[in-house]
Amino acid sequence: MRKIEWSNILAQGLICAGVLTISIFTFSVSQNHSSTDSPRRQTQHPCNSVPASKPVARTELFFGLRKPNGIEVNNAEFQRFLDREVTPRFPDGFTVISGQGQFKDARGAILQERSKLLILLYPIAATSSQQIEQIRKAYITAFQQQSVLRADNLSCAAF
């Protein structure tokens, strides 16, 4: 039996020729082989409780904007990166959020920098992970970064 634990619920609104509400439900799946679970609960999919939703993969990529020379990746450079590397791989859409990041470097110093968070929702497919890795490698190369943080979840999405 798979036990579903809802870790968060996020509802976002997008205004474009009216109002479209996008609901995203993120969950984690863990194994639980309890003999007291009913067969009905064992076959229920977590997206069944969300009207018109379907299971999707959700990946978040965290891009630091400071280059090793101290100059930041500017908005035009980042947009060109999105146009060249992200849009061709995920043409159905994505979200980019500007933020302020913090991390500990190899010497133990706490560093802060502006950052961009890229959120991708996409059908679960083996090729998608390869495409995301290509995006990460392209950013690391283009802007001399040490890494691009990647976080993955399974979600339910209704458009």
Side-chain angles (χ1 to χ4, degrees), residues 25 47-54 157-159:
F25 298 86
C47 292
N48 290 345
S49 62
V50 181
S53 70
K54 61 182 179 180
F159 295 91

Side-chain angles (χ1 to χ4, degrees), residues 24-151:
I24 304 163
F25 298 86
T26 303
F27 58 90
S28 61
V29 180
S30 61
Q31 296 296 323
N32 181 357
H33 298 286
S34 171
S35 61
T36 60
D37 290 326
S38 70
R40 182 172 171 231
R41 289 186 73 188
Q42 289 178 357
T43 60
Q44 185 178 11
H45 192 281
C47 292
N48 290 345
S49 62
V50 181
S53 70
K54 61 182 179 180
V56 295
R58 176 184 171 130
T59 297
E60 297 175 350
L61 296 178
F62 297 79
F63 299 99
L65 297 179
R66 185 181 303 134
K67 298 176 191 176
N69 64 6
I71 297 173
E72 285 193 350
V73 176
N74 64 42
N75 287 337
E77 289 175 310
F78 194 79
Q79 187 60 53
R80 280 192 299 275
F81 174 79
L82 292 174
D83 294 343
R84 193 174 47 247
E85 302 294 340
V86 181
T87 300
R89 291 178 174 94
F90 294 92
D92 290 340
F94 51 84
T95 298
V96 176
I97 300 171
S98 295
Q100 182 68 26
Q102 178 174 302
F103 64 97
K104 188 185 299 188
D105 72 6
R107 289 180 248 131
I110 301 294
L111 303 176
Q112 295 180 346
E113 66 180 314
R114 287 185 336 107
S115 61
K116 299 282 187 179
L117 170 60
L118 173 67
I119 303 171
L120 299 165
L121 296 172
Y122 51 93
I124 300 166
T127 57
S128 298
S129 186
Q130 294 168 347
Q131 292 172 324
I132 291 166
E133 287 305 305
Q134 291 168 352
I135 292 168
R136 292 175 72 202
K137 288 176 185 174
Y139 191 83
I140 289 167
T141 300
F143 301 110
Q144 302 86 44
Q145 300 292 297
Q146 290 181 358
S147 65
V148 171
L149 175 63
R150 176 179 177 171

